[in-house]
Amino acid sequence: MMLGTKKGYFTLEAAIFLPIFIIAIAALGYFIKIFSTAENITFSAVDETAHLAAQAYGVKAAPVFPAAVERRLRIENEQADNIKVSRFRYLYEEGGRDGLILLKLNYHIKIKLPLDLYDGVDLESRIKCRGFIGKAALANPMAFSEMETNGDSRIVWIFPMWGKKYHQEECTYIKANAKQLVLTGPIRKNYQPCLLCKPDRLPLGSLVYCFASTGKAYHQGSCKTIDKYAIEIEKEDALAKGYQPCSKCGGG
């Protein structure tokens, strides 16, 4: 042994600290993988919740929403399992604010340390937002005689995540972008599932997106081809929410 020399001291220090350094590097890589997977899961859940909030004005998609979120997270995150929506509340009221949406996720990230020293970690994510339902209605209730009259029930199209204009269905802005639709038998018959996002796994009643004039496929909202999408709404509701007619098509 060379413990009485400087070389001996360096050898002893290396023998002590090198394993600690290697373990620290391995642990750092382990935690980076965990945080990356958790971030991806949270992003996907937030994206799905944002789509739900965008159409909360009329389309009641809540019954199938938890299953849709779990399905997407399982498909997009191979490093996670036991994914479960443990709590979901839709358009509820809290602290004087109504139209809130709450989503609570529990999941297990199955990334193991070398030598199976640690078998993954259990995490939880919570998301809370407000549905796109407009302002509270403070006017007096409509009389029965008013209900019997025919109002302006014309359907127009808006981009809920982009701009404040409403359009006719034949507007070039609408034709150039995807339309949000509810998945039905006729859609499955007339359109092919996108090869990128594989929406054929979605159940009937799910929200899908189609390019009616330029494509023959239907997509999930997370598909990379969906940059902007349009939804239909009654003209009077669009006006109440502050939308203005499109300068190109007149809005209808």
Side-chain angles (χ1 to χ4, degrees), residues 12-76:
L12 179 61
E13 290 176 357
I16 294 174
F17 291 106
L18 184 59
I20 297 175
F21 178 76
I22 294 174
I23 292 174
I25 294 297
L28 179 61
Y30 171 80
F31 286 115
I32 288 175
K33 287 183 178 180
I34 287 179
F35 290 132
S36 175
T37 302
E39 183 179 13
N40 189 56
I41 288 175
T42 302
F43 173 81
S44 299
V46 168
D47 184 57
E48 288 292 327
T49 306
H51 285 296
L52 180 67
Q55 58 206 319
Y57 73 94
V59 179
K60 304 300 182 184
V64 299
F65 180 71
V69 172
E70 292 176 2
R71 185 179 302 105
R72 175 176 174 181
L73 296 183
R74 283 194 294 268
I75 293 173
E76 297 182 355

Side-chain angles (χ1 to χ4, degrees), residues 166-225:
Y166 64 87
H167 311 259
Q168 297 183 40
E169 186 174 9
E170 298 302 315
C171 182
T172 54
Y173 291 122
I174 300 300
K175 286 185 174 182
N177 292 282
K179 294 180 180 178
Q180 184 186 80
L181 304 170
V182 176
L183 181 60
T184 61
I187 289 180
R188 277 186 170 166
K189 181 179 179 181
N190 297 325
Y191 291 88
Q192 298 296 321
C194 171
L195 297 178
L196 293 175
C197 62
K198 297 180 174 58
D200 50 316
R201 304 176 184 179
L202 297 175
L204 293 177
S206 301
L207 295 174
V208 295
Y209 302 81
C210 301
F211 294 89
S213 61
T214 59
K216 285 297 181 181
Y218 65 95
H219 311 259
Q220 296 193 57
S222 58
C223 185
K224 295 179 180 179
T225 63

Side-chain angles (χ1 to χ4, degrees), residues 36-178:
S36 175
T37 302
E39 183 179 13
N40 189 56
I41 288 175
T42 302
F43 173 81
S44 299
V46 168
D47 184 57
E48 288 292 327
T49 306
H51 285 296
L52 180 67
Q55 58 206 319
Y57 73 94
V59 179
K60 304 300 182 184
V64 299
F65 180 71
V69 172
E70 292 176 2
R71 185 179 302 105
R72 175 176 174 181
L73 296 183
R74 283 194 294 268
I75 293 173
E76 297 182 355
N77 299 276
E78 297 180 354
Q79 299 289 352
D81 58 9
N82 297 331
I83 299 172
K84 181 68 177 176
V85 175
S86 56
R87 190 180 186 197
F88 174 63
R89 297 184 66 187
Y90 183 64
L91 299 185
Y92 70 100
E93 184 174 355
E94 180 182 277
R97 295 187 62 196
D98 61 349
L100 296 177
I101 299 173
L102 173 67
L103 179 69
K104 179 181 174 183
L105 287 168
N106 294 95
Y107 49 93
H108 176 78
I109 298 180
K110 51 184 180 181
I111 299 175
K112 298 182 180 180
L113 275 174
L115 304 178
D116 291 338
L117 296 177
Y118 195 71
D119 187 16
V121 61
D122 294 315
L123 293 176
E124 175 184 296
S125 295
R126 297 190 182 191
I127 300 166
K128 181 186 286 187
C129 66
R130 186 174 185 272
F132 181 70
I133 58 174
K135 297 180 180 179
L138 302 178
N140 294 326
M142 183 181 293
F144 182 75
S145 58
E146 294 180 87
M147 295 181 185
E148 292 184 317
T149 61
N150 293 324
D152 185 2
S153 59
R154 182 184 297 273
I155 297 298
V156 295
W157 291 82
I158 62 171
F159 294 98
M161 312 293 286
W162 302 80
K164 295 295 292 184
K165 302 289 186 180
Y166 64 87
H167 311 259
Q168 297 183 40
E169 186 174 9
E170 298 302 315
C171 182
T172 54
Y173 291 122
I174 300 300
K175 286 185 174 182
N177 292 282

